[in-house]
Amino acid sequence: MAYPSSVAPTSRSVRLGDYPVRSFRAQNGKELRLLYGNRRSGQELELTYENIGDADVVGFMAHYEDMKGTHGSFDIPAISFSGWTGNVNSPFQEPQNNLYRFADAPQITSVRPGRSTVTVRLVSVLR
């Protein structure tokens, strides 16, 4: 099952990843930093879907199960970025051409019968 694409998130937050860097400090305190690549990784994206129906909630649970929890990686649909009017190369969509995996299990909060809020934390992984 693919990541649910029938609902748009009501809020998003992003924590930009970093480039692969290794720091070395000499005894005199001087620091040497080596850059090991030209692509960021480890971006965290948190998507919240408020007041969605039970069928959509089941879609998130089924996708998490299909991915074997935090193991599998997947594309997220363009609807996940709907409402963002910035540049195509926005922090939400960078790093481009990467996949995502679950950082942990989706958090599901029942708000009333038949309606729930789902929060999903994702981490980018290089293709």
Side-chain angles (χ1 to χ4, degrees), residues 46-88:
E46 184 175 294
L47 304 172
T48 301
Y49 303 85
E50 293 180 348
N51 298 319
I52 61 175
D54 287 344
D56 292 321
V57 174
V58 169
F60 285 102
M61 294 188 313
H63 181 65
Y64 181 74
E65 185 63 31
D66 286 349
M67 292 297 106
K68 304 295 186 237
T70 61
H71 175 73
S73 53
F74 50 89
D75 282 314
I76 56 175
I79 195 171
S80 299
F81 305 110
S82 68
W84 173 255
T85 58
N87 187 325
V88 172

Side-chain angles (χ1 to χ4, degrees), residues 37-49:
N38 62 354
R39 293 175 63 193
R40 280 188 294 116
S41 64
Q43 170 179 293
E44 293 181 18
L45 182 62
E46 184 175 294
L47 304 172
T48 301
Y49 303 85

Side-chain angles (χ1 to χ4, degrees), residues 21-125:
V21 174
R22 181 78 187 232
S23 297
F24 302 94
R25 186 174 309 275
Q27 286 182 335
N28 67 359
K30 184 172 178 165
E31 182 180 45
L32 173 67
R33 297 175 55 79
L34 299 175
L35 181 64
Y36 284 100
N38 62 354
R39 293 175 63 193
R40 280 188 294 116
S41 64
Q43 170 179 293
E44 293 181 18
L45 182 62
E46 184 175 294
L47 304 172
T48 301
Y49 303 85
E50 293 180 348
N51 298 319
I52 61 175
D54 287 344
D56 292 321
V57 174
V58 169
F60 285 102
M61 294 188 313
H63 181 65
Y64 181 74
E65 185 63 31
D66 286 349
M67 292 297 106
K68 304 295 186 237
T70 61
H71 175 73
S73 53
F74 50 89
D75 282 314
I76 56 175
I79 195 171
S80 299
F81 305 110
S82 68
W84 173 255
T85 58
N87 187 325
V88 172
N89 295 323
S90 73
F92 293 122
Q93 293 163 302
E94 280 289 329
Q96 289 189 350
N97 300 319
N98 283 1
L99 297 172
Y100 285 85
R101 67 171 178 80
F102 286 99
D104 51 26
Q107 179 182 351
I108 301 165
T109 306
S110 178
V111 293
R112 67 174 199 246
R115 307 302 283 179
S116 296
T117 295
V118 176
T119 301
V120 178
R121 287 188 339 114
L122 306 174
V123 177
S124 72
V125 293

